[in-house]
Amino acid sequence: MEKHAPDVDFVAQGSMCPSKTPIASPFTAPLRRALVAAQGQEPLLVPAGFGSLPSYVFTKIPGMPAFQTPYANHDEANHAPNENLELSCFYSGIRTGAALLYELGLLQLSEREAW
């Protein structure tokens, strides 16, 4: 900042702890199957993403896996004045949630206790 904007002051306001669930989690396969069943195509599995979600509350404190599955259209302008969601994406999200509950229900109790 000193080089490009020397008259700007930086004031730290706070932070969130980072969070990551290993892509090798036993829940990755059921999530992938649910996405394929609901949306008709293979998902792009990204082991680390962006954004500010407090998922560390799940991954760090009780040690549970947490996944993020975005349903929005590519141009939805997240948190902007023109944020939007196409109805087709909304309905696809509902199908995905139902398919995920189905897939998680198929897991054996021993698999669910693994996390």
Side-chain angles (χ1 to χ4, degrees):
M1 286 181 51
E2 287 179 17
K3 179 180 177 182
H4 298 286
D7 57 331
V8 173
D9 291 326
F10 173 77
V11 179
Q13 297 288 320
S15 64
M16 274 190 271
C17 297
S19 174
K20 186 175 179 182
T21 297
I23 200 83
S25 166
F27 294 97
T28 302
L31 177 61
R32 187 200 64 73
R33 287 192 302 269
L35 287 165
V36 169
Q39 298 185 18
Q41 60 185 9
E42 284 289 331
L44 174 62
L45 300 177
V46 180
F50 327 101
S52 55
L53 297 174
S55 58
Y56 72 91
V57 172
F58 301 104
T59 60
K60 301 291 187 211
I61 297 171
M64 297 169 53
F67 293 87
Q68 180 179 349
T69 306
Y71 299 146
N73 35 294
H74 74 281
D75 65 345
E76 57 89 26
N78 202 12
H79 307 309
N82 61 343
E83 182 172 5
N84 64 87
L85 178 64
E86 293 176 4
L87 284 177
S88 62
C89 293
F90 177 71
Y91 295 133
S92 178
I94 294 170
R95 285 192 307 274
T96 300
L100 181 57
L101 290 173
Y102 175 80
E103 286 291 337
L104 291 175
L106 293 177
L107 293 177
Q108 298 297 317
L109 182 58
S110 60
E111 291 173 292
R112 285 182 273 176
E113 291 174 343
W115 52 273

